[in-house]
């Protein structure tokens, strides 16, 4: 899609640059979480988790772990349908 290509070119290329900068990426696009140096998980406008992608995935039962588990299950289901 056009939105996906725009995101790829503008945002992801920007994040890959080596300069140190602070960027807040607010998204429901969980596939991009791996590219972030730090993740803040919000629920009802409040931070419920914060940390590195790898560390948050280790916290079974917590919000980020559940979101990523659901996302991966949906991705697998979608792959089997096509």
């Amino acid at each position: 899609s056009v939105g996906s290509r725009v995101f790829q070119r503008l945002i992801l290329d920007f994040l890959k640059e080596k300069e140190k900068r602070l960027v807040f990426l607010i998204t429901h696009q969980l596939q991009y979480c791996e590219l972030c140096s730090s993740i803040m998980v919000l629920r009802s406008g409040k931070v419920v988790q914060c940390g590195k992608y790898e560390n948050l995935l280790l916290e079974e039962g917590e919000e980020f772990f559940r979101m990523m588990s659901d996302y991966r299950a949906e991705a697998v289901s979608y792959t089997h349908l096509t």
Side-chain angles (χ1 to χ4, degrees):
S1 76
V2 173
S4 175
R5 286 193 301 266
V6 168
F7 188 85
Q8 285 283 108
R9 287 203 169 151
L10 295 178
I11 304 299
L12 295 181
D13 288 348
F14 180 77
L15 290 174
K16 289 178 187 174
E17 293 179 16
K18 298 296 181 191
E19 294 178 37
K20 293 196 181 234
R21 46 176 80 138
L22 178 62
V23 177
F24 285 93
L25 176 63
I26 302 167
T27 184
H28 288 101
Q29 304 269 334
L30 297 178
Q31 68 268 29
Y32 300 116
C33 290
E34 289 182 75
L35 302 173
C36 300
S37 58
S38 184
I39 297 170
M40 295 172 79
V41 181
L42 304 174
R43 185 183 325 128
S44 301
K46 295 184 180 180
V47 176
V48 294
Q49 277 185 286
C50 185
K52 294 188 178 294
Y53 176 80
E54 301 81 17
N55 296 338
L56 292 175
L57 283 179
L58 296 175
E59 297 178 11
E60 289 188 40
E62 295 295 329
E63 191 78 20
F64 187 74
F65 180 88
R66 287 194 307 269
M67 286 190 309
M68 290 306 295
S69 295
D70 291 346
Y71 166 74
R72 289 176 177 159
E74 288 176 23
V76 168
S77 295
Y78 179 77
T79 303
H80 290 302
L81 292 175
T82 57

